[in-house]
Amino acid sequence: MKIGSSYLGEGCCEFTVWAPTHEEVAVQIVSPAHRLIPMQKDEWGYFKVVAENIGPGTLYFYKLLGEKDRPDPASHSQPNDVHGPSE
């Protein structure tokens, strides 16, 4: 299983994060346009979603609902700093 974001082509991206102690996680897209995309939890505590209209260069956080936005711990790029959005 691949953790983090994986561009699948044709505007689709798969996001996967391990957060076994949380009940809800979402991808918070911050650029180019703000969007909140809910993720589905599997039996091992991994949250996943395949999102459409996501291209390379998109900036995002994981929103651990009830908490603030968090960068992707398996991010390919942190263009602003380690506390900023992942790319």
Side-chain angles (χ1 to χ4, degrees), residues 32-69:
H34 287 274
R35 289 173 39 197
L36 187 63
I37 305 165
M39 302 176 79
Q40 298 297 314
K41 186 176 185 180
D42 71 15
E43 61 194 70
W44 299 283
Y46 290 93
F47 286 83
K48 300 178 191 177
V49 68
V50 174
E52 296 180 350
N53 300 316
I54 304 287
T58 297
L59 298 178
Y60 68 97
F61 286 104
Y62 287 122
K63 181 174 275 303
L64 306 175
L65 298 184
E67 295 184 23
K68 66 181 186 175
D69 295 341

Side-chain angles (χ1 to χ4, degrees), residues 4-57:
S5 64
S6 299
Y7 185 64
L8 304 175
E10 298 184 17
C12 291
C13 187
E14 180 177 50
F15 296 91
T16 305
V17 65
W18 188 58
T21 62
H22 293 277
E23 293 304 314
E24 296 180 54
V25 177
V27 178
Q28 175 70 54
I29 304 296
V30 295
S31 177
H34 287 274
R35 289 173 39 197
L36 187 63
I37 305 165
M39 302 176 79
Q40 298 297 314
K41 186 176 185 180
D42 71 15
E43 61 194 70
W44 299 283
Y46 290 93
F47 286 83
K48 300 178 191 177
V49 68
V50 174
E52 296 180 350
N53 300 316
I54 304 287

